[in-house]
Amino acid sequence: MTFCPEVSDDVREVRDWVHEFARDVIRPAGAEWDEREETPWPVIQEAAKIGLYSLDFFAQQWFEESGLGLPVAFEELFWGDAGIGLSIVATGLAAAAVAKNGTPEQMGEWLPLMFGTPDDVRLGAFCASEPDAGSDIGAIRTRAVYDEAADEWVLNGVKTWATNGGIADVHVIVASVDPALGSRGQASFVVPPGTRGLSQGQKFRKHGIRASHTAEVVLDDVRVPGRCLLGGRDRLEERLARVRSGAHGGGQAAMRTFEATRPAVAAMAVGVARAAYEYARDYAREREQFGRRIGENQAVAFLLADMATRVDMARLMTWRAAWMARQGRPFDRAEGSMSKLVAGETAVWVTEQAVQILGGAGYTREHPVERFHRDAKIYTIFEGTSEIQRLIIARAVTGLPVR
């Protein structure tokens, strides 16, 4: 069994700094941008001005020694508001795809363009899912064909559920280069700003995380230079040759991205769960019924005890996975998937109990637990449903090809 270390003083300082921003800037704006269902540009710009939305911040926390930098920061951001928090951190998923699959030269070229500067904020988008390929990543139909004469890749297809899709400056597209090989015949491509043929399709109106832009991305004969293939053509051809020969060809690009980010997504869910628990706890301390505060009733007090316990449990599992990833320890028992499964389902359960504790008041928009409850559900769905996480865990712990 592996355990993570205590949080360092540096991580504590980042936590307190991000918490202050979440408390003073994000939380007061949460209800407004949820109602508007628009990207909260003013909040993102404020985050950029203080260095919170920047390549430097994400890189520093990603490579922080204990591995806890991003999970701790993400918990605080999403404690503030999940929709706004996702608008601030979503570029990090596209950045992770480049960092995980790209060459040093590609990282140097594309990562700065995803964030821009405080005076010129930019966005990135990671596009993997399709109308017929959500959990089944091997069913991706978006096709990338190499035009050797022009040294260009031509991309055609439709992506869906893309955070920042269509409004991002840099899109990272997962496409099939050899459909016969399924998920092992896929690669990731950068589509630079202003590339012709890429457009936004339908923008989705969502149950929760409404301040985060989610849309289709349409690729119609999108031509990108050969250097936009993450990892380069030589590496791709070597991998495909190994797969065709029956050897293990290495992880698929989209899956490597999801594996790297699952503890961070789990931390988001912990932040939402914690926000709901704290609000319900404070309400139970003040609300009186039948001549006493409702928190004095065992039915409510025991529920709060379970909520606090589950939040801490989810956080510790998230920290363990993040620490293991930073130390280069393999997820032999699918610890990354465990963290997301537990944190996502904790967020849904805790936010539901928070609504219950507030009763009718919790069902109205006068209190934020209604929004927390709507926001929480996404964590059992995106970047791998709870069912997919269980499948991954089951295969890891049994060693069997569970289907």
Side-chain angles (χ1 to χ4, degrees):
M1 184 66 67
T2 52
F3 297 92
C4 63
E6 290 186 2
V7 176
S8 68
D9 290 340
D10 288 344
V11 172
R12 285 193 184 94
E13 288 181 10
V14 169
R15 178 196 63 194
D16 294 345
W17 174 58
V18 176
H19 179 79
E20 182 178 341
F21 183 82
R23 181 194 65 207
D24 298 342
V25 180
I26 294 177
R27 181 161 282 194
E32 175 189 351
W33 291 98
D34 176 72
E35 290 283 351
R36 293 176 64 166
E37 298 191 50
E38 297 174 359
T39 300
W41 287 107
V43 183
I44 298 174
Q45 289 165 347
E46 286 299 312
K49 287 178 183 177
I50 67 169
L52 179 56
Y53 182 81
S54 69
L55 176 58
D56 285 346
F57 174 76
F58 277 84
Q60 287 169 6
Q61 302 314 311
W62 186 273
F63 293 108
E64 188 274 327
E65 185 176 359
S66 70
L68 304 184
L70 277 184
V72 167
F74 280 16
E75 178 180 333
E76 298 304 327
L77 283 172
F78 285 72
W79 171 89
D81 180 74
I84 294 176
L86 190 56
S87 287
I88 292 173
V89 309
T91 294
L93 180 59
V98 174
K100 213 54 185 165
N101 301 297
T103 64
E105 293 76 19
Q106 289 172 326
M107 286 186 270
E109 180 175 8
W110 302 117
L111 292 181
L113 289 179
M114 291 185 178
F115 291 91
T117 67
D119 296 324
D120 183 21
V121 172
R122 304 293 184 92
L123 299 176
F126 179 69
C127 307
S129 295
E130 296 184 1
D132 296 318
S135 296
D136 183 8
I137 202 75
I140 282 177
R141 294 182 180 178
T142 296
R143 189 80 163 92
V145 177
Y146 185 58
D147 181 347
E148 193 160 1
D151 186 25
E152 292 179 334
W153 289 89
V154 185
L155 279 63
N156 283 282
V158 177
K159 293 296 181 180
T160 195
W161 315 121
T163 304
N164 293 341
I167 66 171
D169 298 275
V170 178
H171 290 75
V172 178
I173 308 292
V174 179
S176 175
V177 295
D178 189 339
L181 299 179
S183 64
R184 295 181 298 170
Q186 295 169 3
S188 293
F189 299 83
V190 171
V191 179
T195 300
R196 294 178 60 182
L198 184 148
S199 62
Q200 178 185 309
Q202 176 187 4
K203 178 184 175 180
F204 296 102
R205 302 189 67 186
K206 305 188 297 297
H207 177 63
I209 54 168
R210 294 178 179 178
S212 173
H213 175 96
T214 308
E216 291 179 329
V217 174
V218 179
L219 304 151
D220 184 9
D221 283 338
V222 172
R223 302 183 74 93
V224 298
R227 73 179 193 282
C228 292
L229 166 63
L230 290 179
R233 194 174 175 211
D234 288 346
R235 188 191 300 178
L236 173 65
E237 291 299 336
E238 289 174 7
R239 176 167 64 83
L240 294 180
R242 290 197 300 272
V243 173
R244 291 170 184 141
S245 69
H248 187 272
Q252 194 275 330
M255 288 297 100
R256 285 197 297 272
T257 301
F258 291 142
E259 287 165 8
T261 58
R262 274 183 182 135
V265 174
M268 301 175 192
V270 173
V272 177
R274 187 184 116 215
Y277 154 68
E278 290 178 356
Y279 196 91
R281 176 202 63 196
D282 294 346
Y283 184 88
R285 286 170 171 169
E286 301 296 330
R287 174 67 168 168
E288 291 190 5
Q289 289 283 279
F290 304 105
R292 62 181 177 183
R293 290 167 294 185
I294 64 173
E296 297 179 48
N297 297 316
Q298 281 192 5
V300 174
F302 284 8
L303 193 53
L304 287 167
D306 285 344
M307 292 162 74
T309 300
R310 292 197 187 191
V311 170
D312 278 11
M313 175 180 66
R315 180 186 297 112
L316 288 171
M317 292 192 71
T318 298
W319 284 8
R320 179 185 69 168
W323 176 75
M324 289 178 66
R326 184 67 186 93
Q327 305 308 313
R329 301 194 178 203
F331 290 158
D332 290 333
R333 299 178 65 248
E335 287 87 351
S337 289
M338 285 182 179
S339 70
K340 183 184 180 296
L341 172 65
V342 170
E345 299 206 340
T346 293
V348 171
W349 186 84
V350 168
T351 56
E352 183 175 359
Q353 306 320 308
V355 172
Q356 193 71 19
I357 288 172
L358 269 70
Y363 200 67
T364 71
R365 295 190 182 182
E366 296 301 313
H367 294 273
V369 292
E370 177 271 341
R371 185 172 75 255
F372 298 158
H373 188 215
R374 288 188 286 106
D375 290 341
K377 184 57 189 171
I378 194 61
Y379 295 102
T380 63
I381 299 172
F382 80 167
E383 292 203 45
T385 64
S386 289
E387 291 72 27
I388 290 297
Q389 305 309 324
R390 286 187 169 92
L391 185 65
I392 294 169
I393 296 165
R395 288 171 176 170
V397 300
T398 66
L400 300 173
V402 181
R403 292 180 175 83

